[in-house]
Amino acid sequence: MSAASCQLTEDQFLCSICLDVFTDPVTIPCGHNFCKTCITQHWSVNVPYKCPNCKDIFYTKPKVQVNTFISEMAAQFRQSAQQKVSSSSSEQQVSKPGEVPCDVCTGTKLKALKSCLVCLASDCETHLEPHLTAKQLKRHQLIDPVENLEGRMCTKHDKLLELFCKTDQMCVCMLCTVLDHQGHSVVPLKEEYEGKKVELGKTDAEIQQMIQKRRLKIQEMKRSVELSKKDADREIAAGVQVFSALKESVERSQAELIDTIKEKQRETEKQAEGFIKELQQEISELEERSSEVEQLSQSEDHLHLLQSSPSLNAAPPTKDWTGVSIRPPSYEGTVVRAVNQLEETLSNQMKKVELKRVQQYAVDVTLDPDTAHPKLILSDDGKQVSCGYVEKKLPDNPERFDPCIYVIAKQSFSSGRFYYEVQVKGKTHWTLGVARELINRKGVITQRPQDGYWTIGLRNKNEYYAPADPSIRLSLKRRPEKVGVFVDYEEGLVSFYDFDAAALIYSFTGCCFTQKLYPFFSPCVSGGGKNSAPLMISPVSETF
């Protein structure tokens, strides 16, 4: 029997009613076999009594008995199947938290591979086999394993939710469309699924774009933090340098103050010592004369006393000490002068620190010959410009300044900070600064911030000014030989520095920049050779 059972297939041991291996199989008069419970329940609701397979009718309810042969064969098949399940379960994956378990497995639950929408059950690899081999089960709809299969059934009609009502935006069954959703726009789930999938794809693309923007924003913020840290480190270093210099200056000034006071005290002591020594010398001489007088006065020799007294009556030569005194030196103003000198030292140090701070934004600037007035002479490297006597014949392009003796740089800046230095030594007239991109380059040009120019200049040899409305006269303690130009685009700041003095000359503040900015230069006319020295763009150096 064991050998024979090996030749049998699984289909021969399946009840066509419950679609499972026979339990207490019985044979009815037409010869078909069913589970005893299955056929009994079937006939309890179907009269006349009919065979579920061949449809033969029995007008009298047949008496059924267990078919022992098939029962034994089914038991052996069930045992063999159970052994296969046990052997294969060791190879299959056990269901983990978050995974759908097999609904058929007893004991250890294996991971489900598919869920059946007809059986409303999820099967592992072993229990899925009947759906892949049995004819009746092959027609069932299988999907990737999901939990809560009961939720896929219509709670009202106990039918599969296989349609979607677009009107009410809900999943429905076939009976719902007839009874509750008449006239509504109803489509198959798959069709709505495809549409929703496209919408979700667009939504996901939008979300990914939002994520990317936020990632870029994070990178921007991280860069800002890095720049902030660099600025902080730089400011700390500058602060340490300033306070170290201040400390050294304080200690030096304190030492100088103490030395000055001590030196005055030493001079007073020295003077007093000289007077005291001189007085002591006179006292010694007077005491000696007093001793001689006393000795003579005690003499009983009349002749000797009379002969010696004339020489003793005259006092020894001495100094008139009436107007001589030691006056303590005056220290008034000593501390004040030391503090003022210290303040000046600190102020100079602060100026140097400020100039060093802006110098870190140094950029390489070269002159643009396409913008230079025809009289201007530019060096081959684009670092020097002076005004000649002859106007060259050049193409009259829109970028060229004419008739004003101007030129701008090739480089432009529309964000951030930048700094450059220009030597103005030996010149009697010049103008420096920045100009925006869209400015008037022909005819009469007014150098004012409202016209796109932020500059300072020298005219009439010693008159420094900042063109504005009205023009601002600048009071400088010395003639700068090298001028530094610093721009903070976002802050709206244009500052000019005297490099050698490390001093701020002037600042335009509260500017609103909306266009590109170009470094601007005007060496002005040569003035018969008095102003022939060139403007020279210098490499930025921290040497003061």
Side-chain angles (χ1 to χ4, degrees):
M1 182 177 294
S2 177
S5 66
C6 295
Q7 306 299 320
L8 300 176
T9 63
E10 182 180 1
D11 291 349
Q12 294 173 289
F13 297 98
L14 296 180
C15 172
S16 60
I17 297 176
C18 67
L19 301 177
D20 202 352
V21 178
F22 288 124
T23 300
D24 296 330
V26 295
T27 304
I28 63 176
C30 62
H32 291 108
N33 300 298
F34 305 93
C35 295
K36 184 177 181 179
T37 302
C38 293
I39 193 63
T40 300
Q41 291 178 350
H42 179 73
W43 281 344
S44 66
V45 296
N46 291 280
V47 179
Y49 309 109
K50 189 183 296 184
C51 174
N53 286 355
C54 66
K55 310 302 181 183
D56 281 356
I57 297 175
F58 308 102
Y59 294 99
T60 303
K61 183 178 181 179
K63 184 179 180 181
V64 296
Q65 293 182 344
V66 175
N67 187 323
T68 56
F69 174 76
I70 294 179
S71 179
E72 291 177 2
M73 295 295 291
Q76 289 188 20
F77 180 83
R78 188 179 291 107
Q79 182 179 5
S80 175
Q82 187 64 38
Q83 290 175 351
K84 289 181 180 180
V85 170
S86 299
S87 61
S88 63
S89 64
S90 59
E91 300 175 1
Q92 299 181 51
Q93 295 182 358
V94 176
S95 175
K96 299 176 182 177
E99 295 179 340
V100 179
C102 176
D103 293 326
V104 184
C105 288
T106 58
T108 302
K109 294 285 187 178
L110 299 181
K111 177 182 176 182
L113 293 184
K114 293 288 183 181
S115 294
C116 178
L117 296 179
V118 179
C119 301
L120 296 180
S122 299
D123 298 322
C124 65
E125 182 179 355
T126 301
H127 294 118
L128 182 65
E129 187 175 351
H131 282 83
L132 304 177
T133 57
K135 294 179 182 179
Q136 300 91 329
L137 300 180
K138 284 183 178 180
R139 294 192 294 269
H140 290 189
Q141 184 178 354
L142 299 176
I143 62 172
D144 290 335
V146 294
E147 294 181 325
N148 190 24
L149 286 168
E150 292 80 4
R152 295 176 175 269
M153 301 296 292
C154 176
T155 56
K156 188 173 182 179
H157 305 111
D158 199 28
K159 296 291 184 181
L160 186 65
L161 297 171
E162 52 186 339
L163 301 171
F164 185 82
C165 177
K166 297 175 76 69
T167 305
D168 294 334
Q169 290 293 300
M170 61 184 296
C171 298
V172 297
C173 68
M174 276 291 202
L175 285 178
C176 289
T177 61
V178 177
L179 301 176
D180 303 321
H181 296 265
Q182 290 182 354
H184 291 187
S185 175
V186 179
V187 297
L189 279 183
K190 186 176 181 181
E191 180 179 331
E192 184 65 19
Y193 162 82
E194 295 295 340
K196 288 292 184 185
K197 200 169 183 181
V198 172
E199 290 181 11
L200 290 175
K202 293 179 180 178
T203 302
D204 184 56
E206 293 174 357
I207 293 173
Q208 291 300 324
Q209 188 175 11
M210 293 171 68
I211 291 172
Q212 184 62 23
K213 287 182 178 179
R214 281 152 180 78
R215 284 176 176 166
L216 292 174
K217 181 59 70 175
I218 289 173
Q219 293 178 1
E220 177 185 332
M221 290 180 176
K222 286 182 177 180
R223 283 194 297 269
S224 297
V225 170
E226 290 176 1
L227 291 175
S228 176
K229 186 178 183 305
K230 289 181 180 178
D231 288 343
D233 292 341
R234 194 160 32 242
E235 289 301 317
I236 289 172
V240 169
Q241 182 181 3
V242 170
F243 280 96
S244 296
L246 175 60
K247 181 181 177 182
E248 291 175 3
S249 297
V250 169
E251 291 174 350
R252 184 169 56 252
S253 297
Q254 179 182 342
E256 291 174 356
L257 174 65
I258 293 172
D259 287 344
T260 300
I261 295 173
K262 286 184 176 181
E263 180 61 28
K264 288 185 177 182
Q265 177 61 21
R266 281 194 295 269
E267 290 177 359
T268 302
E269 291 176 355
K270 186 176 180 180
Q271 184 184 32
E273 288 174 359
F275 289 156
I276 291 171
K277 186 176 180 181
E278 192 174 347
L279 285 167
Q280 287 176 341
Q281 178 66 31
E282 290 186 0
I283 290 171
S284 177
E285 292 176 355
L286 289 172
E287 286 177 345
E288 184 178 351
R289 177 62 61 90
S290 176
S291 177
E292 291 176 354
V293 170
E294 183 180 359
Q295 186 178 9
L296 183 61
S297 66
Q298 294 176 358
S299 174
E300 295 180 357
D301 187 345
H302 302 163
L303 180 63
H304 174 70
L305 186 148
L306 294 172
Q307 289 177 341
S308 301
S309 61
S311 62
L312 293 177
N313 286 334
T318 57
K319 183 176 180 179
D320 183 8
W321 294 93
T322 305
V324 178
S325 65
I326 298 298
R327 295 182 181 180
S330 173
Y331 301 108
E332 184 179 354
T334 305
V335 176
V336 173
R337 286 192 296 273
V339 171
N340 290 338
Q341 185 178 359
L342 180 61
E343 289 179 348
E344 185 178 354
T345 301
L346 178 59
S347 176
N348 292 335
Q349 188 67 27
M350 287 300 297
K351 291 177 181 177
K352 291 180 181 180
V353 169
E354 171 62 18
L355 186 53
K356 284 183 179 179
R357 187 183 70 82
V358 299
Q359 281 184 322
Q360 66 181 302
Y361 301 105
V363 294
D364 185 23
V365 174
T366 52
L367 302 169
D368 185 358
D370 292 336
T371 66
H373 183 274
K375 277 191 176 181
L376 291 179
I377 302 172
L378 276 60
S379 62
D380 293 338
D381 60 1
K383 299 295 184 181
Q384 298 185 31
V385 58
S386 59
C387 183
Y389 298 98
V390 179
E391 188 169 313
K392 299 184 290 294
K393 293 183 179 180
L394 299 173
D396 186 19
N397 58 57
E399 290 78 21
R400 191 178 305 285
F401 289 98
D402 192 9
C404 293
I405 313 296
Y406 299 161
V407 62
I408 61 174
K410 295 179 179 179
Q411 294 77 17
S412 65
F413 305 89
S414 56
S415 64
R417 302 163 181 164
F418 63 93
Y419 172 85
Y420 65 95
E421 294 175 348
V422 182
Q423 183 172 308
V424 296
K425 182 179 180 181
K427 295 193 67 60
T428 58
H429 291 73
W430 53 264
T431 307
L432 291 174
V434 291
R436 68 187 179 204
E437 182 177 22
L438 301 179
I439 51 175
N440 182 21
R441 306 193 186 195
K442 308 294 183 182
V444 178
I445 299 176
T446 306
Q447 284 190 42
R448 300 178 304 178
Q450 54 264 46
D451 297 313
Y453 293 86
W454 294 266
T455 63
I456 65 168
L458 168 65
R459 60 191 175 195
N460 302 327
K461 295 185 180 181
N462 56 6
E463 184 182 338
Y464 293 92
Y465 69 103
D469 192 10
S471 182
I472 301 169
R473 184 159 185 167
L474 307 176
S475 298
L476 305 184
K477 294 181 179 179
R478 60 188 302 277
R479 293 175 62 91
E481 295 185 351
K482 185 188 292 187
V483 176
V485 182
F486 172 71
V487 176
D488 188 329
Y489 194 96
E490 284 74 19
E491 193 68 23
L493 174 69
V494 182
S495 296
F496 301 86
Y497 294 88
D498 179 344
F499 171 81
D500 297 295
L504 177 66
I505 298 174
Y506 183 75
S507 289
F508 291 97
T509 59
C511 309
C512 183
F513 302 129
T514 58
Q515 302 176 18
K516 293 178 181 178
L517 296 179
Y518 290 82
F520 172 87
F521 308 83
S522 176
C524 299
V525 294
S526 60
K530 295 179 180 179
N531 190 40
S532 60
L535 289 176
M536 295 190 293
I537 301 171
S538 305
V540 174
S541 169
E542 291 188 359
T543 302
F544 298 103

